[in-house]
Amino acid sequence: SRLLLAARGWGRLGAMSRYSTEQRGRPNSPDYRLYFKNADGKYISPFHDIPLFVGSKEDKEIPAKRSKTTGSEVLFNMIVEVPRWTNAKMEIATEEPLNPIKHDIKKGKLRYVANIFPHKGYIWNYGALPQTWEDPNHTDKITGCCGDNDPIDVCEIGSKIRSSGEIVQVKVLGVLALVDEGETDWKIIAISADDPEAQEIHGKYFYIDDVKKHKPGYLEATLDWFQLYKVPDGKPENHFAFNGEFKDKDFAVEIIKSTHEHWKALLHKKVDGGTIKCTNVLVSGSPFCCSEEDARSIVQSVRIF
């Protein structure tokens, strides 16, 4: 097979015009990888080199809660891993240099989520926030469980079906606290800032209540999906903190800020990340920062079948 290139300019807000993706290997195979480049054509890590906060530099803090003075919305970059209605479990490869998106494998087999009636595959565009990390060595004071060792997950509920590798600027609406096999696995609920319904969800603090109003049944379906999606694989139902209550926007932003701090400690070698690969190109002061040439060598060393 051959190298497949995909340089795309998605989104009215221009998020994807700053990034492109490059496929190596065959889709739906263990060797498939989706690498990322920035606008300068440099290979980068989507996990580490794409800023968390829209319009920020790599080391800029998220604005403090209710710090807005211009009335503009606080937006975050989301990396889409799994498009809505699809079943392949695609994920950021946290244990590989430059962290491409790959197809998750368990016991030598590609993983797919089952269709949980009446749902088809993932019921949102599913992905992660860059520059966040749920530290497995940190016990969450709220849930009493450690982190799941991944970037924080995002369920994007807009009307458009996105593509794997797309970078979407999202408005955070709330969060669900899933406890998955004894680990805290936060699920951020968000909507693309350019979605027609984004402006309809405008409550000052309780965006999650507007979701119930404008997308009736969606939050209930989300809770049902996360509770049951592993049952077809012979596993028990998942559980939730707060009895499955969705917490509001401000609560969600505080969780994001916390996971961002854990990520910064990881990238500056203040904590042991174990098998997590912290190779990056743009994070100032990180001992894991590599040159453009080194990044290119990492990608070119990946076999193409």
Side-chain angles (χ1 to χ4, degrees), residues 144-214:
C145 299
C146 296
D148 71 348
N149 206 30
D150 285 324
I152 197 166
D153 296 321
V154 185
C155 303
E156 194 278 316
I157 66 172
S159 57
K160 184 177 180 180
I161 297 176
R162 303 289 176 167
S163 301
S164 186
E166 189 168 351
I167 310 301
V168 181
Q169 296 179 3
V170 298
K171 175 179 179 177
V172 167
L173 308 175
V175 65
L176 176 67
L178 175 68
V179 179
D180 187 354
E181 299 183 25
E183 297 176 335
T184 303
D185 192 4
W186 295 102
K187 305 297 182 183
I188 299 294
I189 309 301
I191 189 168
S192 172
D194 65 353
D195 190 88
E197 290 189 315
Q199 298 307 312
E200 300 298 323
I201 301 175
H202 54 65
K204 188 172 182 182
Y205 305 123
F206 300 105
Y207 286 4
I208 207 71
D209 289 342
D210 273 353
V211 175
K212 296 174 184 177
K213 176 182 177 181
H214 294 285

Side-chain angles (χ1 to χ4, degrees), residues 81-248:
E81 296 167 305
V82 186
R84 182 189 286 114
W85 310 136
T86 64
N87 298 73
K89 193 175 187 304
M90 309 302 295
E91 62 179 17
I92 293 171
T94 59
E95 299 182 359
E96 295 183 14
L98 295 184
N99 316 113
I101 289 178
K102 68 169 187 175
H103 199 141
D104 188 26
I105 297 175
K106 191 166 187 178
K107 296 181 180 179
K109 295 183 179 180
L110 300 177
R111 292 185 68 189
Y112 297 86
V113 298
N115 293 321
I116 303 295
F117 183 83
H119 312 304
K120 168 66 176 73
Y122 287 77
I123 63 173
W124 346 257
N125 296 299
Y126 190 71
L129 294 182
Q131 298 189 342
T132 62
W133 180 53
E134 297 188 64
D135 186 351
N137 299 308
H138 172 76
T139 301
D140 191 287
K141 294 180 181 179
I142 300 169
T143 66
C145 299
C146 296
D148 71 348
N149 206 30
D150 285 324
I152 197 166
D153 296 321
V154 185
C155 303
E156 194 278 316
I157 66 172
S159 57
K160 184 177 180 180
I161 297 176
R162 303 289 176 167
S163 301
S164 186
E166 189 168 351
I167 310 301
V168 181
Q169 296 179 3
V170 298
K171 175 179 179 177
V172 167
L173 308 175
V175 65
L176 176 67
L178 175 68
V179 179
D180 187 354
E181 299 183 25
E183 297 176 335
T184 303
D185 192 4
W186 295 102
K187 305 297 182 183
I188 299 294
I189 309 301
I191 189 168
S192 172
D194 65 353
D195 190 88
E197 290 189 315
Q199 298 307 312
E200 300 298 323
I201 301 175
H202 54 65
K204 188 172 182 182
Y205 305 123
F206 300 105
Y207 286 4
I208 207 71
D209 289 342
D210 273 353
V211 175
K212 296 174 184 177
K213 176 182 177 181
H214 294 285
K215 290 182 174 288
Y218 210 161
L219 295 182
E220 292 81 357
T222 294
L223 198 66
D224 182 63
W225 195 96
F226 279 121
Q227 183 175 359
L228 299 175
Y229 82 102
K230 289 189 176 182
V231 172
D233 296 329
K235 295 184 178 181
E237 294 182 2
N238 280 321
H239 300 284
F240 307 91
F242 316 115
N243 294 316
E245 176 190 357
F246 288 82
K247 307 303 282 187
D248 64 27

Side-chain angles (χ1 to χ4, degrees), residues 288-300:
F288 302 102
C289 196
C290 72
S291 68
E292 180 181 352
E293 291 74 21
D294 288 340
R296 186 182 302 109
S297 296
I298 289 170
V299 177
Q300 291 178 346

Side-chain angles (χ1 to χ4, degrees), residues 19 38 44-45 48-53 55-62 130-131 260 263-264 267-268 280-285:
Y19 303 100
N38 65 8
I44 60 168
S45 161
H48 306 308
D49 290 317
I50 294 175
L52 168 62
F53 180 59
S56 73
K57 294 183 179 180
E58 290 71 38
D59 59 353
K60 185 174 181 179
E61 298 284 352
I62 299 174
Q131 298 189 342
H260 183 53
W263 169 84
K264 287 200 292 186
L267 263 286
H268 290 86
N280 67 86
V281 180
L282 301 174
V283 182
S284 177

